[in-house]
Amino acid sequence: NGKNGLVYNGKTSEISNDGVSIAKAVDVTDETEQAGIQLAKQCAEMTNQSAGDGTTTTLVLLQAILKNIITEFQTENPRELREKLFAEAKETLAKVQVKQIESREDIYNLAFTSSLDEKTANIIADIYIELGKDAKVSIEERTEDILESEFVKGVQFDSKKADSKILKYEEKIVLKDVYAIVSPDISTNRDAIQAAVTKCADEGKHELVIIANSFDRNMLLAFMKTADFRFIPIEYNEFRPIDDIKDYIGDKPLDKIIITDETTTLIGGKGDVNTKIELLKAKKEETQSLYEKDKIDKRIASLLSGVAVIKVGKHTDVEREEIVLKIEDALNTVKGAYEDGYTTGGGKSLLEASRGKSERFEKICEAPYNQICENFSVAPGSLEIPETVIDSFKSVRESLMNAISTATSVLTVEAALIEEKEQD
């Protein structure tokens, strides 16, 4: 129902209903309690990493499992009880009615259920209709009041910032008019990198992005020490050859690069993409392998499809960050639904699929729905969930399995070794 939590870290405040963000902020002085809280945080983070959403559901299920089985660990074999719960979970998940995305309405409903914002849901629906199920999306934060999207010529690929120990930590880096050099292994391409360094210095550039499959740490450190501007090394991690990225960029500066912890988005490459696509099409004609043909089709699509950029700006940082979190969750929900389908939301899918299981397991599975009833200040079981409220099946599955895994592990603990913090 759109209620939020206020998170204050001693310096800044944040308003959010994102489960994992709120969980990360929970801190208590009792070290034993904090150890348990840390396990709950890790449980929510596991769901966030695998499904991108469903973290609140994970924590509600975790609490319900602990509440409903804690006494039974005194009389039952913990490992047998753990196996029973996993077995009931798999049987329940097999009974969940899962559908596949077939229309713009499905995408809109998924995005709206996650974000509770009509404009956000419409933007995301339009993006997926335009770019398809493999849509590449980047979020660009602005200072002015704005929430809109645009389609640009660009490519996005899975990546990570190389060797974070020697880089200043930044969640997102946005660079404009910047050189990028691409090489499978920088240790074999030192001259090209040195030439790029010289070029950047001559033209007054202050950053150089290096995209490679692997990096030589010592060489990287040497460049960082000698150059008077910043290197940003990016580890390329995708199925397609890195030469596709090189051909897209060309030998001139990119208009923009957006780097996050998981992806890199290149916008405004000056390479001859048309010639590359014709070469790939010719290669496809020559091969007889359906697998190779499919790989080539994906490479062509990645060069042709472009990127959607969602521009987000509000009057305050708090409001902007809240919207960014909602957009990220909604995008992950739609992505998860394309991968594994979607199901009834509002906790109803687990509630209905668990009927006929043990009373204990039914109570666990009805917890998310009952929590929503409580949030709306109505009696348990009395809230009607509209058909338009839907969730990705992936987030439902990951929430339940991660909650069971963490809860049963916690309840097998018979002793705890807690390192006390030194008092100030």
Side-chain angles (χ1 to χ4, degrees), residues 314-344:
K314 287 297 174 183
H315 296 297
T316 66
D317 291 344
V318 171
E319 190 179 6
R320 185 186 68 249
E321 289 167 7
E322 180 189 357
I323 293 173
V324 168
L325 284 173
K326 287 184 176 182
I327 292 172
E328 289 174 344
D329 282 351
L331 287 169
N332 286 325
T333 295
V334 174
K335 181 180 178 181
Y338 267 116
E339 293 173 357
D340 296 330
Y342 69 87
T343 186
T344 307

Side-chain angles (χ1 to χ4, degrees), residues 195-242:
V197 170
T198 302
K199 196 168 187 178
C200 285
D202 291 343
E203 298 187 13
K205 304 293 182 185
H206 296 290
E207 291 99 1
L208 172 65
V209 173
I210 306 175
I211 303 169
N213 292 121
S214 61
F215 287 88
D216 178 273
R217 177 181 170 83
N218 292 330
M219 179 183 170
L220 200 56
L221 280 169
F223 274 126
M224 287 183 169
K225 289 177 180 178
T226 57
D228 58 357
F229 54 89
R230 182 172 60 162
F231 282 92
I232 304 175
I234 301 297
E235 287 187 7
Y236 181 81
N237 183 25
E238 277 213 358
F239 70 91
R240 54 183 162 173
I242 199 169

Side-chain angles (χ1 to χ4, degrees), residues 238-303:
E238 277 213 358
F239 70 91
R240 54 183 162 173
I242 199 169
D243 282 347
D244 285 2
I245 304 301
K246 185 176 182 179
D247 292 335
Y248 169 78
I249 292 174
D251 58 1
K252 295 181 180 179
L254 284 155
D255 291 346
K256 186 183 296 184
I257 301 178
I258 303 173
I259 304 162
T260 70
D261 288 336
E262 298 178 351
T263 63
T264 297
T265 305
L266 311 176
I267 298 172
K270 309 302 190 298
D272 189 356
V273 174
N274 291 331
T275 298
K276 181 59 178 276
I277 289 173
E278 290 303 316
L279 290 171
L280 288 172
K281 287 180 178 178
K283 186 177 180 180
K284 179 183 174 182
E285 291 297 320
E286 294 172 359
T287 184
Q288 300 298 314
S289 168
L290 293 177
Y291 174 72
E292 289 299 323
K293 287 179 182 290
D294 181 62
K295 283 177 60 178
I296 292 171
D297 282 339
K298 288 179 178 178
R299 290 173 63 187
I300 292 173
S302 69
L303 291 169

Side-chain angles (χ1 to χ4, degrees), residues 104-124:
R104 183 189 185 281
E105 183 181 10
D106 292 338
I107 303 169
Y108 173 88
N109 288 336
L110 282 160
F112 182 76
T113 299
S114 179
S115 67
L116 298 178
D117 183 77
E118 291 184 5
K119 189 170 184 179
T120 294
N122 274 311
I123 286 173
I124 291 174

Side-chain angles (χ1 to χ4, degrees), residues 152-206:
V152 297
K153 291 183 179 180
V155 297
Q156 185 182 92
F157 54 88
D158 294 338
S159 64
K160 66 177 181 178
K161 294 186 283 268
D163 208 342
S164 58
K165 292 180 180 179
I166 58 174
L167 278 176
K168 180 181 177 182
Y169 176 77
E170 294 173 82
E171 288 189 354
K172 180 183 286 187
I173 302 171
V174 180
L175 306 173
K176 294 183 179 180
D177 189 31
V178 62
Y179 276 103
I181 186 166
V182 181
S183 175
D185 183 356
I186 65 167
S187 63
T188 61
N189 207 0
R190 188 183 184 100
D191 291 342
I193 294 174
Q194 187 60 60
V197 170
T198 302
K199 196 168 187 178
C200 285
D202 291 343
E203 298 187 13
K205 304 293 182 185
H206 296 290

Side-chain angles (χ1 to χ4, degrees), residues 365-401:
C365 289
E366 69 185 17
Y369 170 72
N370 286 341
Q371 183 62 57
I372 292 174
C373 290
E374 183 178 334
N375 292 349
F376 277 92
S377 301
V378 300
S382 62
L383 184 67
E384 290 293 328
I385 304 295
E387 292 183 1
T388 54
V389 176
I390 53 179
D391 287 330
S392 74
F393 175 64
K394 187 175 187 178
S395 68
V396 173
R397 182 188 67 224
E398 295 301 302
S399 295
L400 180 60
M401 300 304 277

